[in-house]
Amino acid sequence: MSPKTYSEQALRALVEPFANPVLVLDGEGRVRVCNDGYAELLGLPRDQVEGHSFLDFVQAEERSRLAERYQRLATGSPLDGRTQLYRVTSTQGRMTEVSVQATQVRLEGGGYGLLLCCLVQTQRPLELAVAERLVDTSAGLVSARSEEAVRRVALAGLEGAGFRARLLRWEGTRLVVRDGVSPPADAHLALEALSDGRPVFGGADHAEPTHAYLPVGGPQSEVLWVAGPWVAPRHGSVLTLFAKVVGAALADVHLQADGARSRWEVEAVAEMARFVAQPVPPPPERFLARVAELLKAQAVALHLVPAPGQPPQLSHQVGLEDEGQAQGQVGVGVDVERLTAVLATSSLRLDGGVVSSEVQGRMLETLSQGRFGTGAAARLTRGGEGVGAVQALRTKEKPFDERDARLLATLAELLVTLLEQRRLRAESARQLTETRLLLDLARTTSGVLETASILDVASDFLVHLLDVSNCFILLYDEQAKVLRGAAASVAHRDLFRTVVVPLDSDDLAARVARERKPIAIEDLTRGGASTGTGLVERLGEKALLGLPLTSREELIGVVMVDDVRGPRPFGPELIDLAEATCGQLALSIANARLYESLWASYAELAATRAEMVKRERLAALGELSAIVAHEVRNPLGVIFNAVASLRRIMKPEGDAAMLLDIVGEESDRLNRMVGALLDYTRPRNPVLQNEDLPRVLQDSLEAAKAQGATERPVRISSEVEEGMPPVPMDRRLIRQALLNVAVNAIQSMPQGGQVQVKARREAYGGREQLRIDVMDQGPGIPAELLHRVFEPFFTTKAQGTGMGLAVVKRILEDHRGEIAVESVPGRGTTFIFRLPLTQPLSFP
């Protein structure tokens, strides 16, 4: 029994093509529908037959038997498939014997019915047996479940009836026999049968026809070739009817197959839609793998168009891995790009899905070394524009059809949705990452108020944010009209600080600074672009982008980023992001400079205030020293005169002489202390002149050697860096400072030793200065006393005043220099003088 459910309309369409009587009974034995042949057999109009019990039209003697038999069938007894003979009574009282073949059918609304195919029995010649055989075969066609089964049953029925038969299919350009043998010699008659829709007999070399071409209705253009000893036009109606039954059976199974495939396709598309709609879109490879599974394809490839007007490029694929012939993959040496391009390019020009042609199939077979021989492809569209193609490949033994192409086209729409979801998700993730990075940069730079630190952080940040190889930042020197290398990403930080780019040069950085707009060179390997810094060859740069740093229309500098991996386009989105970052960076630099300027102002104000306090203290101390000196030196003069008079009058000896010596020495020390105090507090305005440093050193050391001469051997040496320029100084004051330090050095070596003096230029405090080191080999100064050596009145000598180093410190400060001390106990002491090499010859 066919699983198809028949409505009344479908039942009529089923029975009306038959010329012999055919009817359908419902579950209660009433005639549901009948054809004209059955109505004519009864001599009644159809409306007087349909709806009545079939028992009303059979011989009265058989009604009880047939009623009981039908009742058994209705209660579940199996159907006897053999042909039955019955007598039918017409309205004229004529009894007609008919042979009936019964088949169960499913009726719409539930329940089952019987399809009764009747043949009127007049006499039983050979034709009748053949007809009965064909009727039996027709009944068997109803239960066939596939096209192949229908064709197999039809050919077997014809062979059982004594015929030889074949099915020929028209493929648009030729007739093909389904079993693979060559078509008959007069196969052109088959085309005539197809075009006219009637039997065409052949056998021109015989007196009687030997074979016939019968058009078969159905989904395909097919012809039934039948050959036998009694094929003649008078039997054409029977054969034609059988061919129509075959066509109806093919149409039925094709309809069922189409319905089943449609349901499968809907379920498959729904499943793929759910697969695409996952919270995290799956990768394209997984989608292609599912496409391969649905279409039973050996390989599936995705081509995408990189940009409008460019050819499609292979983006993703499954089943084309070059793993060798042993695993069933494309073999070594196969050009996958050429293989997949066979259908990709042509499919971009067509809407919907396409199936490979014979020529394309041969190309696929050749390029794949025999693995593939057929393919289907579909165009991917976004906004009405083709953006790519997806294609599936199979062996030539399993060709694709139009249904596969339509399904692939539907799946291509889902693939576009998947790619768009992944693109949007990636774009959202990129924007989120960029926003977070920008916030991190703003947070970091807002918390740093040193320009150098901001530039170092920004250089490394831009490399990560823009996915470039290196970043270089140049700051604008307005006075010199040049761009100076200020910072670089970590790989070249030290290298770039020495770069200087004149603003009027052809260098890319200079052009960016002059034009105040981004300039990109996407391919430096082509030449013709001036970069000027010399880093292109040194770093192997392939692409370069320059961006201006401006704040309130003021040029701050230029940012340069490069890519050494290869040429790359700097798209509008990347440039916009880079400009936004540079805007934040320029604002941070401007704020840091304001802070540094304010801090410098505060420091200068504090230094000025300290200097004023110091000068006021020195003035007060000087005034006090003058008063003390006046009040002390008068008694000292009396003491000196009294001691001298006592020596003259008493001519003391022994203890008296010793006591007078002590009074004289202490009075002299007190006098020297008062003199040193006056010297320290006396206001000085150094008179600077460019002096020859070697000569100043020589005079100072000779005086020190004479003043500090002892019985112990002391060697004094000096060394001056070659090319030392004249130094602005007050020769008299610097000589005094060097003399004080050198005498201390000589006196610090009780066992003798060497005093070394070395002078050289040194970059210190952001400017070039003169450095003089005075080194001795004495016992050194304890660490806990180092911070006090320049304090007034601090001394470790029994006869010292404690003012020598204090005076030295003041002399150097009056020269806008400084003095420092380094000492290691047991290894000597070093005093370090620092004097500016460039300063005005008069102080304001």
Side-chain angles (χ1 to χ4, degrees):
M1 178 181 63
S2 172
K4 182 178 178 181
T5 300
Y6 288 86
S7 63
E8 184 170 339
Q9 183 178 1
L11 291 174
R12 290 191 184 280
L14 179 65
V15 303
E16 285 180 354
F18 291 93
N20 58 305
V22 180
L23 68 157
V24 177
L25 305 181
D26 61 14
E28 297 178 1
R30 291 190 297 270
V31 179
R32 187 72 173 264
V33 295
C34 67
N35 65 353
D36 292 337
Y38 188 71
E40 290 174 2
L41 177 65
L42 299 179
L44 294 172
R46 289 170 61 176
D47 59 348
Q48 295 183 14
V49 177
E50 295 176 349
H52 295 270
S53 174
F54 81 99
L55 296 175
D56 296 340
F57 311 113
V58 301
Q59 190 177 5
E61 292 81 357
E62 290 192 312
R63 287 178 182 172
S64 298
R65 182 180 70 86
L66 293 178
E68 183 177 355
R69 180 177 177 81
Y70 197 81
Q71 184 64 30
R72 292 180 179 179
L73 291 176
T75 56
S77 296
L79 178 66
D80 188 355
R82 293 174 297 177
T83 302
Q84 306 292 325
L85 293 177
Y86 302 98
R87 292 181 179 274
V88 179
T89 303
S90 66
T91 55
Q92 293 79 16
R94 185 178 68 252
M95 302 296 296
T96 304
E97 185 179 30
V98 295
S99 62
V100 180
Q101 179 69 40
T103 303
Q104 278 188 325
V105 295
R106 192 191 304 269
L107 301 179
E108 189 178 61
Y112 299 92
L114 285 182
L115 172 67
L116 304 181
C117 183
C118 308
L119 290 179
V120 178
Q121 302 294 312
T122 54
Q123 57 183 0
R124 300 185 61 82
L126 178 61
E127 288 83 348
L128 180 59
V130 171
E132 289 180 350
R133 180 64 180 179
L134 295 181
V135 169
D136 291 341
T137 302
S138 299
L141 292 175
V142 177
S143 60
R145 301 296 181 87
S146 66
E147 293 185 16
E148 291 301 324
V150 168
R151 293 185 178 94
R152 186 174 59 254
V153 170
L155 294 178
L158 288 170
E159 290 176 359
F163 295 102
R164 291 179 291 112
R166 295 175 188 167
L167 275 170
L168 288 76
R169 182 180 71 253
W170 176 248
E171 292 188 344
T173 57
R174 57 175 183 166
L175 280 170
V176 177
V177 181
R178 296 193 63 87
D179 55 10
V181 300
S182 300
D186 56 356
H188 63 278
L189 298 178
L191 300 180
E192 181 181 344
L194 277 175
S195 61
D196 295 344
R198 58 177 177 79
V200 175
F201 292 88
D205 53 345
H206 292 80
E208 296 288 336
T210 59
H211 57 276
Y213 294 95
L214 309 171
V216 177
Q220 298 184 12
S221 299
E222 292 187 274
V223 176
L224 186 62
W225 177 82
V226 179
W230 60 277
V231 173
R234 63 179 181 276
H235 306 129
S237 59
V238 176
L239 296 175
T240 301
L241 177 60
F242 180 75
K244 290 183 177 180
V245 172
V246 174
L250 288 173
D252 186 18
V253 297
H254 189 268
L255 182 62
Q256 294 182 40
D258 282 349
R261 181 179 176 91
S262 298
R263 290 191 297 273
W264 172 79
E265 287 183 357
V266 170
E267 293 174 356
V269 171
E271 176 62 25
M272 291 295 282
R274 289 191 293 270
F275 177 72
V276 170
Q278 297 181 66
V280 178
E285 291 85 356
R286 290 182 58 193
F287 185 93
L288 299 182
R290 291 208 169 196
V291 172
E293 182 180 353
L294 288 176
L295 295 178
K296 295 180 173 55
Q298 278 71 46
V300 178
L302 170 63
H303 281 72
L304 296 177
V305 177
Q310 295 185 2
Q313 296 181 1
L314 181 63
S315 175
H316 301 85
Q317 54 82 21
V318 293
L320 294 175
E321 295 81 2
D322 190 4
E323 298 177 0
Q325 304 264 0
Q327 282 98 2
Q329 302 295 336
V330 175
V332 177
V334 173
D335 191 338
V336 176
E337 292 285 350
R338 290 185 59 197
L339 172 66
T340 54
V342 172
L343 294 178
T345 304
S346 60
S347 63
L348 283 173
R349 298 190 295 267
L350 301 172
D351 292 330
V354 296
V355 179
S356 60
S357 63
E358 290 186 15
V359 175
Q360 290 173 329
R362 288 193 295 270
M363 292 177 62
L364 291 173
E365 188 174 6
T366 301
L367 293 174
S368 66
Q369 298 179 355
R371 183 185 173 201
F372 305 120
T374 182
R379 185 172 70 159
L380 306 180
T381 59
R382 184 187 299 118
E385 183 178 354
V387 295
V390 59
Q391 58 181 296
L393 303 175
R394 286 200 303 226
T395 61
K396 65 178 181 180
E397 291 78 16
K398 298 178 180 179
F400 289 99
D401 56 26
E402 295 299 329
R403 296 177 301 179
D404 297 325
R406 287 196 301 271
L407 176 58
L408 186 59
T410 303
L411 297 177
E413 296 177 3
L414 292 176
L415 180 55
V416 172
T417 302
L418 173 64
L419 295 175
E420 186 67 12
Q421 287 179 346
R422 290 182 61 84
R423 186 189 68 81
L424 292 175
R425 186 178 180 86
E427 181 68 17
S428 299
R430 183 186 64 81
Q431 293 179 354
L432 179 60
T433 300
E434 291 174 355
T435 303
R436 287 176 176 172
L437 289 173
L438 289 174
L439 288 175
D440 289 342
L441 176 64
R443 189 181 302 113
T444 301
T445 54
S446 63
V448 178
L449 295 175
E450 295 180 359
T451 303
S453 300
I454 290 175
L455 296 179
D456 289 341
V457 170
S459 300
D460 295 334
F461 172 83
L462 284 169
V463 169
H464 180 60
L465 177 66
L466 304 180
D467 187 27
V468 294
S469 301
N470 302 292
C471 174
F472 308 101
I473 300 179
L474 302 97
L475 296 182
Y476 177 51
D477 186 341
E478 187 172 5
Q479 293 183 350
K481 302 298 182 183
V482 296
L483 295 168
R484 299 186 185 276
S489 48
V490 65
H492 306 289
R493 190 155 290 163
D494 295 332
L495 166 68
F496 197 70
R497 296 187 193 277
T498 60
V499 173
V500 177
V501 179
L503 197 63
D504 58 356
S505 67
D506 293 333
D507 189 273
L508 179 64
R511 290 169 51 200
V512 172
R514 291 195 301 268
E515 299 177 17
R516 307 285 180 90
K517 67 179 182 180
I519 300 178
I521 302 178
E522 299 180 352
D523 189 357
L524 288 168
T525 59
R526 296 180 180 177
S530 175
T531 56
T533 60
L535 296 177
V536 173
E537 295 80 6
R538 185 166 184 176
L539 302 181
E541 293 175 324
K542 304 297 188 302
L544 198 59
L545 171 64
L547 302 128
L549 285 174
T550 58
S551 177
R552 300 180 182 91
E553 302 301 325
E554 178 184 355
L555 179 64
I556 294 178
V558 173
V559 173
M560 307 292 294
V561 296
D562 67 19
D563 202 319
V564 301
R565 295 167 293 189
R568 64 173 288 181
F570 295 101
E573 294 181 356
L574 184 140
I575 293 179
D576 290 343
L577 176 62
E579 284 188 300
T581 308
C582 289
Q584 174 66 35
L585 177 59
L587 181 60
S588 299
I589 294 174
N591 291 338
R593 284 181 170 180
L594 288 175
Y595 174 79
E596 291 173 353
S597 176
L598 183 61
W599 182 260
S601 299
Y602 283 151
E604 185 177 356
L605 180 61
T608 304
R609 181 179 178 183
E611 183 66 21
M612 290 178 63
V613 172
K614 178 181 177 182
R615 288 181 180 273
E616 290 179 359
R617 291 176 61 189
L618 288 175
L621 183 59
E623 184 177 353
L624 177 61
S625 299
I627 296 173
V628 171
H630 181 268
E631 297 298 329
V632 171
R633 279 188 168 176
N634 287 334
L636 283 177
V638 174
I639 293 173
F640 284 136
N641 290 333
V643 170
S645 298
L646 286 174
R647 288 182 186 278
R648 208 171 43 250
I649 297 171
M650 296 178 60
K651 297 188 186 317
E653 296 179 357
D655 292 339
M658 181 183 68
L659 291 175
L660 286 176
D661 290 341
I662 291 175
V663 172
E665 290 177 0
E666 292 300 320
S667 298
D668 183 62
R669 189 169 72 87
L670 183 59
N671 186 52
R672 286 188 287 106
M673 185 177 296
V674 171
L677 179 60
L678 289 173
D679 192 42
Y680 178 72
T681 59
R682 184 180 299 115
R684 291 185 180 88
N685 290 318
V687 179
L688 304 184
Q689 292 183 353
N690 291 324
E691 299 288 351
D692 183 30
L693 180 63
R695 184 175 178 182
V696 174
L697 288 180
Q698 182 179 1
D699 292 346
S700 302
L701 295 180
E702 288 178 353
K705 187 173 184 180
Q707 183 174 331
T710 64
E711 297 178 356
R712 298 173 296 276
V714 174
R715 298 183 305 278
I716 300 177
S717 64
S718 64
E719 179 182 342
V720 180
E721 178 183 319
E722 291 185 5
M724 179 68 67
V727 180
M729 67 173 71
D730 187 316
R731 176 188 182 92
R732 180 181 60 84
L733 295 177
I734 295 300
R735 178 181 180 280
Q736 180 183 351
L738 289 170
L739 175 63
N740 290 354
V741 174
V743 168
N744 284 348
I746 293 172
Q747 294 176 352
S748 69
M749 299 184 294
Q751 305 301 323
Q754 183 177 7
V755 176
Q756 289 181 304
V757 179
K758 293 183 179 180
R760 67 179 187 276
R761 283 175 289 190
E762 178 186 58
Y764 183 81
R767 58 181 178 172
E768 192 173 30
Q769 297 195 2
L770 167 66
R771 172 172 173 164
I772 303 175
D773 293 345
V774 180
M775 299 172 284
D776 63 49
Q777 295 178 340
I781 303 173
E784 63 272 13
L785 300 180
L786 276 177
H787 66 287
R788 300 189 59 192
V789 295
F790 298 110
E791 294 180 2
F793 307 111
F794 175 77
T795 181
T796 59
K797 300 177 183 178
Q799 300 299 322
T801 64
M803 297 300 295
L805 292 179
V807 171
V808 172
K809 185 173 186 294
R810 186 178 175 194
I811 291 174
L812 287 173
E813 289 176 349
D814 289 341
H815 280 74
R816 297 185 178 180
E818 65 178 40
I819 186 171
V821 61
E822 297 176 355
S823 183
V824 179
R827 299 181 61 182
T829 302
T830 301
F831 283 89
I832 303 170
F833 291 65
R834 288 190 175 93
L835 290 171
L837 281 173
T838 56
Q839 58 179 324
L841 296 181
S842 62
F843 294 134

